[in-house]
Amino acid sequence: MICRPWLILGVVLISPALASAQLRFSLPTADLGELRGGPVAQHPFEFTNNASVPIEIVDIRLGCGCLHPILQQRMFQPGAKGTLLMHIRTLGQSEGPRTWQAHVQYKQGEQLHEVGLIIAAKIRNEVTIEPSIIAMTVETTLLQEVTFTDHRPLPTKVVAVLASSPAIRV
């Protein structure tokens, strides 16, 4: 099959729906630089409905459980602007460069579209606790070791270790 770029361009210009989606994120990728591991980071993704019809955001598919999207509304009239605030849980993330992805699915009329969003950062862990999350259901005695590592120049003094349940001994 012979590819004719002028033919593809003509089809795209004739059919704007084929050209691109109409939910426009001003910056669909973000580099947050260096983040300290532990605190929740956040990044706002600003967008505009450039379509001539209302757009409904129907789903936000997340690349991992460390992302938590906050969206105040789901319907956007033509020309309306909005912000998708993405929270990123950095606790337990490995040291070094990381990327997180999300896919925003929306309906424009009866057509379903999708826009990808990417956040990049370099995680710097001063203190690590491994494992960072412990969830267990047990019927007998269980031993779980937790490792605390402090990479800061001044030593840490542990003054107490507490458990959230009286059934757990530390």
Side-chain angles (χ1 to χ4, degrees):
M1 180 175 176
I2 298 173
C3 180
R4 293 189 172 89
W6 57 267
L7 180 61
I8 295 170
L9 180 61
V11 170
V12 168
L13 291 175
I14 291 170
S15 176
L18 294 175
S20 64
Q22 297 299 313
L23 183 64
R24 302 269 187 216
F25 282 84
S26 55
L27 294 170
T29 61
D31 186 344
L32 303 184
E34 188 173 275
L35 294 177
R36 198 175 96 224
V40 173
Q42 62 182 23
H43 179 74
F45 285 102
E46 297 176 351
F47 59 87
T48 304
N49 176 1
N50 284 345
S52 59
V53 296
I55 283 178
E56 177 186 9
I57 295 178
V58 294
D59 193 17
I60 302 170
R61 293 187 304 120
L62 305 173
C64 71
C66 53
L67 295 177
H68 177 72
I70 297 175
L71 186 63
Q72 298 299 323
Q73 67 186 58
R74 298 251 176 197
M75 289 294 295
F76 295 88
Q77 296 301 315
K81 296 181 182 298
T83 301
L84 170 61
L85 183 61
M86 195 66 73
H87 285 216
I88 307 137
R89 184 179 59 82
T90 63
L91 182 65
Q93 300 283 331
S94 58
E95 179 100 11
R98 295 282 316 205
T99 57
W100 301 272
Q101 296 183 24
H103 296 273
V104 178
Q105 293 181 332
Y106 66 95
K107 284 178 74 173
Q108 177 184 337
E110 293 302 314
Q111 289 187 322
L112 191 62
H113 299 275
E114 185 171 287
V115 177
L117 303 174
I118 298 174
I119 300 172
K122 182 178 180 182
I123 300 292
R124 181 178 45 86
N125 290 315
E126 294 177 334
V127 175
T128 59
I129 299 174
E130 294 179 9
S132 61
I133 297 173
I134 301 173
M136 59 183 99
T137 303
V138 295
E139 295 180 14
T140 63
T141 304
L142 176 72
L143 176 65
Q144 174 65 54
E145 185 174 298
V146 176
T147 304
F148 173 85
T149 308
D150 190 345
H151 301 282
R152 298 175 293 186
L154 297 176
T156 298
K157 180 180 178 184
V158 177
V159 295
V161 178
L162 304 172
S164 61
S165 169
I168 299 175
R169 291 187 315 227
V170 291

